Amino acid sequence: MAHAAPAPGALPRGDRKDAPATVNLPPDIFDARTHRMARVAVPVLLALVYGYWAASNRRGGGPVTGWNLLFGVLTALVFAVVLFAVLTVAPRLRREQHALLWAVFIGVSFGFLYNQAGASLVRSVGIPLLVAGVTFVVCFYRFYTREDAAGDRVH
């Protein structure tokens, strides 16, 4: 595909006085109502999956009992409350603390599930620490490249 070469002496698009100030944001295909519903529905669905997964790990393929259902529901409830707290508090933190909060949440969540599967204590601590470390690095990189030093998002 051929593109026209800029005219000699022409300013790049960003330096021209008549160029509109554009921000390259992805298109928003959903309305505000859909976003409000998703802010509640997605964490609730994640909590239900997490509770089912924890209960399934705990029973180890055995029969489903009332205590097992209660454990799954309570696990889902606690997960949902903590996830809503993280989603509320995390954006207000600086990027280092923001990444650390997500790393702790993911590490503890993974460690709890791993422990319910019957792993030893050393493996139930070591592997989630590794997962939390990787989560911290990924989150910190993401926040570092998308925020300025004051914590404001850069578009």
Side-chain angles (χ1 to χ4, degrees):
M1 179 180 260
H3 295 282
L11 295 173
R13 180 133 179 102
D15 295 336
R16 289 192 350 214
K17 304 295 183 217
D18 62 335
T22 61
V23 177
N24 294 329
L25 294 176
D28 193 8
I29 58 174
F30 299 113
D31 62 350
R33 180 175 172 263
T34 306
H35 283 286
R36 280 193 310 273
M37 288 186 338
R39 285 187 191 189
V40 174
V42 170
V44 167
L45 289 174
L46 284 174
L48 289 173
V49 168
Y50 187 85
Y52 172 75
W53 194 349
S56 178
N57 281 352
R58 186 168 192 148
R59 68 183 164 89
V64 177
T65 64
W67 291 112
N68 186 251
L69 287 174
L70 180 64
F71 177 77
V73 169
L74 290 178
T75 302
L77 181 66
V78 169
F79 183 86
V81 168
V82 174
L83 180 57
F84 277 117
V86 168
L87 289 171
T88 303
V89 172
R92 299 178 186 159
L93 300 175
R94 296 192 48 146
R95 60 183 167 221
E96 298 87 2
Q97 297 162 340
H98 192 169
L100 183 64
L101 182 61
W102 277 109
V104 168
F105 176 71
I106 297 295
V108 169
S109 299
F110 182 78
F112 181 73
L113 286 179
Y114 199 75
N115 190 335
Q116 293 304 312
S120 68
L121 183 63
V122 173
R123 290 185 71 174
S124 293
V125 172
I127 293 177
L129 277 175
L130 182 66
V131 169
V134 170
T135 303
F136 176 78
V137 169
V138 169
C139 286
F140 182 77
Y141 176 77
R142 181 179 184 275
F143 301 142
Y144 186 79
T145 58
R146 288 173 173 76
E147 295 178 355
D148 61 7
D152 298 324
R153 289 198 172 106
V154 177
H155 297 290

